[in-house]
């Protein structure tokens, strides 16, 4: 059993309160729900019971909040989970909302990765992979999309052209250009092919 150590009104929404269990924040619920279930500081309770209470009374509201958050732009599964967790929803509620959203195709990490890759210019596959990992996309979805994606050498040429603008294309500058493309996440072969349009490189480089 755990102990409810504090119940405090939320600063931004006076109709809700934060529930602290064993001295740590656990979840947020409506004040009317706290009153209905006679929740109060000093009360012993199973955390599972709090999960059940929140799931029963707030799953619809949590789903609405998630849909509103999604209306602005596509999100990964993790981004929605993190959003709901910051709102004070328990894992049980988060899992319920995610299941509903995935069932109705409102979230799809594969579709998210594919859309992201198609929308970004000037980055190679390694950089795209790093970006998607930071956004919490499913690793299998990332790999599937990148496996289907070919690096655009012409795009790499455009990136390099901007980098070399105003510079003398001697061997040292070309090597720096190669390193620049690699820093943008392009693979070595794509970077080298793009660079060869501006001058010859040492074959051993």
């Amino acid at each position: 059993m755990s102990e409810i150590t504090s119940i405090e009104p939320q600063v931004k929404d006076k109709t809700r309160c934060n529930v602290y269990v064993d001295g740590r924040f656990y979840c947020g619920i409506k004040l009317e729900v706290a009153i209905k279930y006679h929740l109060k500081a000093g009360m012993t309770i199973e955390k599972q019971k709090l999960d059940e209470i929140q799931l029963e009374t707030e799953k619809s509201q949590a789903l609405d909040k998630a849909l509103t958050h999604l209306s602005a732009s596509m999100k990964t599964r993790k981004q929605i989970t993190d959003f709901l967790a910051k709102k004070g929803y328990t894992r049980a509620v988060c899992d319920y909302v995610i299941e509903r959203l995935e069932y109705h195709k409102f979230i799809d990490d594969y579709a998210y990765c594919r859309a992201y890759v198609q929308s970004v210019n000037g980055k190679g596959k390694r950089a795209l992979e790093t970006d998607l990992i930071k956004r919490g996309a499913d690793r299998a979805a990332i790999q599937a999309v990148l496996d289907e994606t070919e690096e655009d050498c012409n795009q790499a040429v455009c990136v390099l052209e901007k980098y070399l603008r105003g510079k003398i294309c001697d061997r040292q500058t070309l090597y720096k250009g190669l390193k620049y493309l690699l820093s943008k996440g392009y693979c070595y072969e794509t970077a080298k092919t793009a660079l060869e349009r501006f001058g010859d490189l040492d074959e051993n480089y």
Side-chain angles (χ1 to χ4, degrees):
M1 297 289 283
S2 298
E3 179 182 343
I4 296 177
T5 48
S6 179
I7 298 179
E8 302 175 4
Q10 292 185 358
V11 175
K12 294 183 179 180
D13 187 349
K14 299 300 183 182
T15 68
R16 295 177 62 78
C17 60
N18 293 328
V19 179
Y20 293 80
V21 176
D22 297 332
R24 301 181 64 180
F25 173 76
Y26 188 72
C27 68
I29 58 175
K30 295 177 182 178
L31 281 171
E32 62 186 67
V33 172
I35 294 171
K36 175 182 176 181
Y37 287 92
H38 308 291
L39 302 180
K40 58 184 179 180
M43 176 181 180
T44 56
I45 191 171
E46 292 282 357
K47 289 181 180 179
Q48 183 180 351
K49 179 62 177 177
L50 285 173
D51 292 352
E52 293 171 355
I53 290 172
Q54 194 189 63
L55 180 62
E56 176 188 346
T57 60
E58 302 201 16
K59 62 185 181 182
S60 294
Q61 182 187 58
L63 181 57
D64 286 343
K65 285 181 182 291
L67 286 169
T68 299
H69 190 50
L70 277 166
S71 65
S73 62
M74 293 177 70
K75 302 289 190 302
T76 64
R77 175 191 177 107
K78 186 178 186 301
Q79 286 173 331
I80 291 297
T81 300
D82 290 346
F83 168 77
L84 292 173
K86 288 180 181 178
K87 294 292 183 182
Y89 292 108
T90 64
R91 172 57 63 181
V93 174
C94 291
D95 288 347
Y96 168 82
V97 172
I98 292 298
E99 188 276 329
R100 290 286 85 200
L101 293 176
E102 288 185 330
Y103 178 79
H104 292 290
K105 304 298 182 183
F106 285 111
I107 55 174
D108 180 334
D109 277 16
Y110 172 81
Y112 178 94
C113 293
R114 188 174 182 182
Y116 182 81
V117 167
Q118 292 174 345
S119 69
V120 174
N121 293 318
K123 288 188 177 183
K125 290 170 71 172
R126 289 189 294 106
L128 292 170
E129 180 180 20
T130 299
D131 288 350
L132 289 168
I133 290 173
K134 287 179 179 178
R135 286 163 172 75
D138 177 74
R139 295 297 183 97
I142 295 173
Q143 191 61 54
V145 169
L146 292 180
D147 284 347
E148 299 168 0
T149 303
E150 289 189 12
E151 286 189 333
D152 188 341
C153 188
N154 290 328
Q155 188 182 95
V157 169
C158 290
V159 172
L160 187 59
E161 187 175 34
K162 291 181 180 179
Y163 174 78
L164 293 175
R165 191 169 296 159
K167 298 182 176 70
I168 298 175
C169 290
D170 56 19
R171 180 166 295 181
Q172 183 178 5
T173 301
L174 291 177
Y175 286 161
K176 289 181 179 179
L178 179 65
K179 291 179 179 178
Y180 181 74
L181 286 179
L182 295 176
S183 74
K184 288 293 184 180
Y186 288 99
C187 72
Y188 176 78
E189 289 303 321
T190 300
K192 187 175 180 181
T193 300
L195 204 64
E196 286 172 349
R197 300 193 188 182
F198 296 85
D200 294 328
L201 279 174
D202 186 339
E203 289 298 324
N204 295 321
Y205 187 81

